[in-house]
Amino acid sequence: MKLKTFLIALIAIFLSLEISEAQSLKVISYNIHHGADRNEVNTLQEMGEYIKNSGADLVGLQEVDSVCNRSGKVDQMKVLAEITGMHYAFLRHFEYDGGAYGLGVLSKHPITSQRNGTITSMKNGEKASLALLSTRIKLPNNKEVDFATVHFALDQSTRLIQAGETISFLESDLPVILTGDFNAEPGTEEIDMITGPFKMSDENLGNTFPVLNPVKKIDYIWVSREVLLKVSKVNIPLGIHSSDHLPLEAEISIKSK
């Protein structure tokens, strides 16, 4: 009986230590369609207000413009950071329309470094590259996490290459959170590849595209398998029509390393 009591107490101690080392985060993945809705009306202000009101800790953004003519020569990440009061990072895929087109990160917590990667793309039948943005975030418990975002190609043969490149690039001793528009539905080979090192935080598989009457799940939030302790809530806010995609939200608890 004493041994049983001792073992129960020991398990309770281990559980309490794990909980004390955990970090709860609200994460959003959002393809913002160059700051415009499905009718090409500028909605960047509404996007910023949605993110601010969501209480998100970390936001991965795809299809971001930086001083492009089509979006009014606005530095969209700077504007979103001003609206939300968050730190930000930007990485371009390529020059576009007088500016640049790429990926962005917003973080409630300090961004201590930015790592700029690339994944394979095909442009006019020739091999090119797209951006893969990874940021290191300092959390309130003084631990760090790598937070990344990516946007995969429309064709599966390229996505399979991109999946392997993404997994290799994000190898880390720290917890990794990966967001993005993967242009692939659950059960495809490329999604199964990512499911190796990462766990999908939104396993209810809610659809995110198109914004009205969505029929496809192509946006995801992934977390390193060995650090994900709990997914408290997953939400796809159906009333947010600022883009041609719906945003994806997940509240997670991760084990800090």
Side-chain angles (χ1 to χ4, degrees):
M1 189 66 181
K2 288 183 179 180
L3 179 60
K4 183 178 179 181
T5 303
F6 172 76
L7 289 174
I8 292 172
L10 193 62
I11 291 169
I13 290 170
F14 281 130
L15 287 174
S16 65
L17 286 173
E18 186 174 73
I19 292 170
S20 68
E21 287 295 310
Q23 177 69 55
S24 296
L25 298 166
K26 182 169 185 178
V27 181
I28 292 176
S29 184
Y30 196 11
N31 180 324
I32 66 168
H33 190 232
H34 56 266
D37 67 12
R38 66 191 183 96
N39 297 313
E40 297 296 337
V41 175
N42 188 303
T43 54
L44 193 66
Q45 181 70 32
E46 290 89 335
M47 291 174 177
E49 290 172 359
Y50 152 68
I51 293 169
K52 180 180 179 179
N53 294 334
S54 74
D57 293 280
L58 300 168
V59 185
L61 302 172
Q62 307 86 47
E63 296 196 18
V64 181
D65 274 4
S66 177
V67 298
C68 294
N69 291 316
R70 68 174 174 182
S71 47
K73 302 296 288 184
V74 168
D75 183 338
Q76 292 189 335
M77 288 309 304
K78 183 178 180 181
V79 170
L80 289 172
E82 289 172 348
I83 296 170
T84 61
M86 300 171 82
H87 306 274
Y88 76 97
F90 173 78
L91 179 60
R92 75 177 191 179
H93 293 306
F94 41 76
E95 294 181 2
Y96 184 80
D97 194 23
Y101 171 72
L103 302 168
V105 161
L106 291 168
S107 174
K108 185 181 291 185
H109 315 294
I111 298 173
T112 59
S113 63
Q114 174 176 336
R115 196 157 65 105
N116 300 339
T118 59
I119 54 174
T120 296
S121 176
M122 298 300 293
K123 193 171 183 179
N124 299 322
E126 296 184 4
K127 189 174 180 180
S129 65
L130 293 173
L132 170 52
L133 173 59
S134 180
T135 56
R136 187 151 289 181
I137 310 294
K138 187 174 183 180
L139 300 176
N141 60 4
N142 287 320
K143 300 294 180 71
E144 291 184 311
V145 62
D146 287 339
F147 180 69
T149 194
V150 71
H151 191 175
F152 277 11
L154 293 173
D155 64 290
Q156 186 179 37
S157 59
T158 304
R159 290 197 301 267
L160 287 168
I161 297 169
Q162 292 174 337
E165 292 170 335
T166 299
I167 291 167
S168 296
F169 181 75
L170 293 178
E171 288 181 359
S172 176
D173 293 331
L174 295 177
V176 177
I177 302 171
L178 170 63
T179 62
D181 174 356
F182 291 81
N183 275 314
E185 296 189 70
T188 55
E189 188 177 351
E190 57 270 40
I191 295 301
D192 288 345
M193 285 176 65
I194 298 168
T195 305
F198 296 103
K199 185 169 178 61
M200 194 188 302
S201 65
D202 47 313
E203 290 184 321
N204 66 348
L205 306 178
N207 294 329
T208 55
F209 183 82
V211 66
L212 296 179
N213 303 312
V215 296
K216 292 183 179 180
K217 174 173 180 55
I218 55 177
D219 301 279
Y220 298 83
I221 298 170
W222 308 85
V223 186
S224 303
R225 280 192 172 274
E226 70 274 15
V227 302
L228 182 60
L229 293 174
K230 181 181 178 182
V231 179
S232 304
K233 184 180 179 182
V234 174
N235 183 42
I236 298 172
L238 298 176
I240 303 298
H241 297 161
S242 303
S243 174
D244 62 343
H245 285 240
L246 290 167
L248 172 64
E249 306 174 353
E251 296 178 18
I252 63 174
S253 294
I254 61 171
K255 189 189 304 181
S256 299
K257 288 190 174 182

